[in-house]
Amino acid sequence: MLLDTKAMRHLTAEDWRVLTAVEMGSKNHELVPTPLIEKIARLKGGASGVHKSISALAKVGLIARMKEAKYDGYRLSYGGLDYLALHTHASRKHVYSVGSRVGVGKESDIMIVADDQGTQKILKIHRLGRISFRTVKTNRDYLKNRQSASWMYLSRLAAIKEYAFMQALREEGFPVPEPIAQSRHTIVMTLIDAPPMRQISSVPDPAALYAELISLILRLAKHGLIHGDFNEFNILIREDKTDDDSTTTLTPILIDFPQMVSMDHQNAEMYFDRDVACVKRFFARRFHFESTAPGPFFKDAKKTVGRDGVRRLDAVVEASGFTKKMAKDLEAAIRAQEANPKSDAGESEEDSEEEEDDEGESGSEGGEEGLQVIGDQVVENEEGLEKLTINDGT
Ligand code: ADP
Ligand code: MG
């Protein structure tokens, strides 16, 4: 799903209030009835103002009218939730303009955005539940027909969890992007100017990079964590040159954290081994490098958890207000997504070297249009920038 910010500039302060009212109403209503929207929005113009905004929002697809046996009502669309999140980021001055999409995963859209200083950042929009869970046997019973399976709820959980881990990892000095803000199902973080390892065809010293990645896995384990998706798409490789250009060091930067699990998880060993195997397989295939040392093994890593007084990070998500039920809901959704054969969950497993230039495929939509401004400041004479005022009246 492509984020399209075009309609944003046409929304009035009343429209934003009504959109917000639909969001609030959806917290305990599958379909938000019009009288409830009126009640929450409390527009000065009364019911007619609300109706006008409702049709404006429905016209651009931010809300959708649904009919049910008992009553008609409105539902927030993905686009509507995207707008609300962007609106929050814009009002907090974290995002001023939205540029091109750099990636689309099975679970997210990754956009380049910029603040009003022109600093580029990454906006990650979680899209959990994009794939139908009904086709997945394992988690079908758990997720079926439940509020816990709603995409809005699950995507928000993914963003909250990812943001909490990024903050904690960053505080402990792990090489991860700096988390800047989180709103609803989205995260703003620093843009890492480095390609995923997937795009690297050769490195001067594979053994050194391999050792660094394995030590990253072990360092995470010591803090009580397993990344859970430690593959060549989620490891960015930054080239750092010395001042005189004589030596280059490669620094791996880790991204993508919604599926992180604790070293105490019942399947921890499987996830740990899978992460290790992923690195081994990639290095063998791509760099023709195979480590002579066996392992590392889970049982050894397990002994190091919390050692030397290191802070355990596997509890940070709970500390951020994530309940056990939320964790369970999110995990069921992530596992369902992984297990879905229609998804691209296994792309790193069976990828072939021929797919090398597939990055461009999802890469440049929106690119030609340049940046779309969503913030509330006017920038003049800047190529490709359009003024998109947010009239939220606040
Ligand atoms: P998904 O959950 O869909 O896999 P990721 O967080 O792994 O999402 O991001 C997908 C892709 O977007 C990455 O492989 C990378 O190319 C790019 N990307 C994500 N975050 C950043 C970032 N902070 N800086 C640069 N590129 C990023
Ligand atoms: Mg990823």
mmCIF file of all heavy atoms in Angstrom, residues 105-108 110 124 162 227 229 231 233-235 255-259 347, ligand 2:
data_model
loop_
_atom_site.group_PDB
_atom_site.id
_atom_site.type_symbol
_atom_site.label_atom_id
_atom_site.label_comp_id
_atom_site.label_asym_id
_atom_site.label_seq_id
_atom_site.Cartn_x
_atom_site.Cartn_y
_atom_site.Cartn_z
ATOM 1 N N GLY A 105 8.253 -4.070 2.702
ATOM 2 C CA GLY A 105 8.389 -5.446 3.162
ATOM 3 C C GLY A 105 7.008 -6.039 3.265
ATOM 4 O O GLY A 105 6.017 -5.409 2.930
ATOM 5 N N LYS A 106 6.968 -7.253 3.765
ATOM 6 C CA LYS A 106 5.670 -7.870 3.971
ATOM 7 C C LYS A 106 4.949 -7.215 5.131
ATOM 8 O O LYS A 106 3.752 -7.294 5.259
ATOM 9 C CB LYS A 106 5.840 -9.365 4.215
ATOM 10 C CG LYS A 106 6.681 -9.665 5.439
ATOM 11 C CD LYS A 106 7.052 -11.116 5.522
ATOM 12 C CE LYS A 106 7.776 -11.431 6.817
ATOM 13 N NZ LYS A 106 9.043 -10.725 6.992
ATOM 14 N N GLU A 107 5.725 -6.551 5.967
ATOM 15 C CA GLU A 107 5.141 -6.000 7.181
ATOM 16 C C GLU A 107 5.253 -4.501 7.306
ATOM 17 O O GLU A 107 4.884 -3.937 8.324
ATOM 18 C CB GLU A 107 5.841 -6.622 8.397
ATOM 19 C CG GLU A 107 5.524 -8.064 8.614
ATOM 20 C CD GLU A 107 6.663 -8.813 9.287
ATOM 21 O OE1 GLU A 107 7.623 -8.173 9.744
ATOM 22 O OE2 GLU A 107 6.599 -10.045 9.345
ATOM 23 N N SER A 108 5.838 -3.841 6.300
ATOM 24 C CA SER A 108 6.026 -2.401 6.459
ATOM 25 C C SER A 108 6.264 -1.682 5.143
ATOM 26 O O SER A 108 6.601 -2.296 4.137
ATOM 27 C CB SER A 108 7.225 -2.142 7.371
ATOM 28 O OG SER A 108 8.418 -2.368 6.659
ATOM 29 N N ILE A 110 8.666 1.604 4.005
ATOM 30 C CA ILE A 110 9.747 2.445 4.494
ATOM 31 C C ILE A 110 9.842 3.667 3.588
ATOM 32 O O ILE A 110 10.055 3.534 2.388
ATOM 33 C CB ILE A 110 11.105 1.684 4.467
ATOM 34 C CG1 ILE A 110 11.001 0.320 5.157
ATOM 35 C CG2 ILE A 110 12.214 2.538 5.061
ATOM 36 C CD1 ILE A 110 10.901 0.353 6.650
ATOM 37 N N LYS A 124 9.059 4.500 9.183
ATOM 38 C CA LYS A 124 8.660 3.103 8.987
ATOM 39 C C LYS A 124 7.187 2.975 9.355
ATOM 40 O O LYS A 124 6.786 3.279 10.476
ATOM 41 C CB LYS A 124 9.517 2.167 9.854
ATOM 42 C CG LYS A 124 9.112 0.696 9.708
ATOM 43 C CD LYS A 124 10.139 -0.253 10.308
ATOM 44 C CE LYS A 124 9.711 -1.698 10.148
ATOM 45 N NZ LYS A 124 10.712 -2.656 10.630
ATOM 46 N N GLU A 162 8.942 -2.204 18.500
ATOM 47 C CA GLU A 162 10.171 -1.869 17.786
ATOM 48 C C GLU A 162 10.821 -0.613 18.369
ATOM 49 O O GLU A 162 12.033 -0.552 18.565
ATOM 50 C CB GLU A 162 9.878 -1.689 16.289
ATOM 51 C CG GLU A 162 11.127 -1.296 15.512
ATOM 52 C CD GLU A 162 11.052 -1.649 14.043
ATOM 53 O OE1 GLU A 162 10.024 -1.352 13.410
ATOM 54 O OE2 GLU A 162 12.052 -2.202 13.530
ATOM 55 N N HIS A 227 17.570 -11.409 18.066
ATOM 56 C CA HIS A 227 16.958 -10.542 17.052
ATOM 57 C C HIS A 227 15.780 -11.227 16.379
ATOM 58 O O HIS A 227 14.714 -10.664 16.216
ATOM 59 C CB HIS A 227 18.006 -10.112 16.019
ATOM 60 C CG HIS A 227 17.480 -9.173 14.984
ATOM 61 N ND1 HIS A 227 16.844 -9.628 13.846
ATOM 62 C CD2 HIS A 227 17.457 -7.829 14.913
ATOM 63 C CE1 HIS A 227 16.463 -8.567 13.121
ATOM 64 N NE2 HIS A 227 16.821 -7.475 13.752
ATOM 65 N N ASP A 229 15.414 -12.164 13.265
ATOM 66 C CA ASP A 229 15.338 -12.031 11.807
ATOM 67 C C ASP A 229 16.667 -11.446 11.314
ATOM 68 O O ASP A 229 16.700 -10.486 10.562
ATOM 69 C CB ASP A 229 14.164 -11.121 11.426
ATOM 70 C CG ASP A 229 13.696 -11.321 9.988
ATOM 71 O OD1 ASP A 229 14.198 -12.243 9.314
ATOM 72 O OD2 ASP A 229 12.845 -10.538 9.536
ATOM 73 N N ASN A 231 18.984 -11.285 9.182
ATOM 74 C CA ASN A 231 19.356 -11.630 7.812
ATOM 75 C C ASN A 231 19.970 -10.452 7.067
ATOM 76 O O ASN A 231 20.058 -9.340 7.600
ATOM 77 C CB ASN A 231 18.150 -12.213 7.059
ATOM 78 C CG ASN A 231 17.048 -11.184 6.867
ATOM 79 O OD1 ASN A 231 17.321 -10.011 6.596
ATOM 80 N ND2 ASN A 231 15.813 -11.603 7.005
ATOM 81 N N PHE A 233 19.006 -8.521 4.885
ATOM 82 C CA PHE A 233 18.177 -7.338 4.621
ATOM 83 C C PHE A 233 18.123 -6.432 5.849
ATOM 84 O O PHE A 233 17.843 -5.243 5.746
ATOM 85 C CB PHE A 233 16.738 -7.748 4.268
ATOM 86 C CG PHE A 233 16.631 -8.557 3.008
ATOM 87 C CD1 PHE A 233 16.677 -9.936 3.048
ATOM 88 C CD2 PHE A 233 16.492 -7.916 1.783
ATOM 89 C CE1 PHE A 233 16.581 -10.678 1.883
ATOM 90 C CE2 PHE A 233 16.388 -8.654 0.618
ATOM 91 C CZ PHE A 233 16.437 -10.042 0.661
ATOM 92 N N ASN A 234 18.344 -7.039 6.994
ATOM 93 C CA ASN A 234 18.203 -6.299 8.249
ATOM 94 C C ASN A 234 19.538 -5.888 8.856
ATOM 95 O O ASN A 234 19.602 -5.406 9.973
ATOM 96 C CB ASN A 234 17.412 -7.138 9.261
ATOM 97 C CG ASN A 234 15.972 -7.306 8.815
ATOM 98 O OD1 ASN A 234 15.446 -6.448 8.115
ATOM 99 N ND2 ASN A 234 15.350 -8.405 9.225
ATOM 100 N N ILE A 235 20.604 -6.088 8.084
ATOM 101 C CA ILE A 235 21.931 -5.655 8.510
ATOM 102 C C ILE A 235 22.440 -4.687 7.456
ATOM 103 O O ILE A 235 22.607 -5.052 6.294
ATOM 104 C CB ILE A 235 22.895 -6.866 8.632
ATOM 105 C CG1 ILE A 235 22.371 -7.845 9.692
ATOM 106 C CG2 ILE A 235 24.302 -6.393 8.956
ATOM 107 C CD1 ILE A 235 22.953 -9.238 9.558
ATOM 108 N N ILE A 255 18.805 -3.355 12.034
ATOM 109 C CA ILE A 255 17.466 -2.747 11.999
ATOM 110 C C ILE A 255 16.401 -3.838 12.155
ATOM 111 O O ILE A 255 16.734 -5.023 12.176
ATOM 112 C CB ILE A 255 17.211 -1.981 10.677
ATOM 113 C CG1 ILE A 255 17.365 -2.907 9.458
ATOM 114 C CG2 ILE A 255 18.138 -0.792 10.537
ATOM 115 C CD1 ILE A 255 16.859 -2.308 8.154
ATOM 116 N N ASP A 256 15.151 -3.400 12.247
ATOM 117 C CA ASP A 256 13.989 -4.300 12.173
ATOM 118 C C ASP A 256 13.802 -5.172 13.429
ATOM 119 O O ASP A 256 14.276 -6.304 13.476
ATOM 120 C CB ASP A 256 14.125 -5.186 10.917
ATOM 121 C CG ASP A 256 12.779 -5.724 10.459
ATOM 122 O OD1 ASP A 256 11.772 -5.452 11.139
ATOM 123 O OD2 ASP A 256 12.733 -6.416 9.425
ATOM 124 N N PHE A 257 13.053 -4.641 14.404
ATOM 125 C CA PHE A 257 12.994 -5.310 15.703
ATOM 126 C C PHE A 257 11.649 -5.845 16.200
ATOM 127 O O PHE A 257 11.587 -6.318 17.340
ATOM 128 C CB PHE A 257 13.560 -4.363 16.774
ATOM 129 C CG PHE A 257 14.912 -3.820 16.398
ATOM 130 C CD1 PHE A 257 15.050 -2.512 15.940
ATOM 131 C CD2 PHE A 257 16.035 -4.619 16.455
ATOM 132 C CE1 PHE A 257 16.289 -2.013 15.562
ATOM 133 C CE2 PHE A 257 17.281 -4.130 16.082
ATOM 134 C CZ PHE A 257 17.415 -2.821 15.636
ATOM 135 N N PRO A 258 10.580 -5.784 15.415
ATOM 136 C CA PRO A 258 9.307 -6.221 16.011
ATOM 137 C C PRO A 258 9.274 -7.684 16.435
ATOM 138 O O PRO A 258 8.480 -8.053 17.293
ATOM 139 C CB PRO A 258 8.274 -5.985 14.896
ATOM 140 C CG PRO A 258 8.921 -5.079 13.932
ATOM 141 C CD PRO A 258 10.392 -5.287 14.055
ATOM 142 N N GLN A 259 10.106 -8.508 15.849
ATOM 143 C CA GLN A 259 10.039 -9.949 16.154
ATOM 144 C C GLN A 259 11.061 -10.390 17.198
ATOM 145 O O GLN A 259 11.210 -11.582 17.439
ATOM 146 C CB GLN A 259 10.222 -10.759 14.868
ATOM 147 C CG GLN A 259 11.635 -10.739 14.290
ATOM 148 C CD GLN A 259 12.082 -9.377 13.812
ATOM 149 O OE1 GLN A 259 11.314 -8.655 13.196
ATOM 150 N NE2 GLN A 259 13.306 -8.991 14.120
ATOM 151 N N GLU A 347 12.137 -14.945 1.855
ATOM 152 C CA GLU A 347 12.904 -14.447 0.720
ATOM 153 C C GLU A 347 14.411 -14.590 0.896
ATOM 154 O O GLU A 347 15.120 -14.820 -0.061
ATOM 155 C CB GLU A 347 12.545 -12.989 0.402
ATOM 156 C CG GLU A 347 12.869 -12.041 1.538
ATOM 157 C CD GLU A 347 12.353 -10.645 1.271
ATOM 158 O OE1 GLU A 347 11.972 -10.372 0.124
ATOM 159 O OE2 GLU A 347 12.344 -9.841 2.207
HETATM 160 MG MG MG B 2 13.468 -6.251 7.426
#
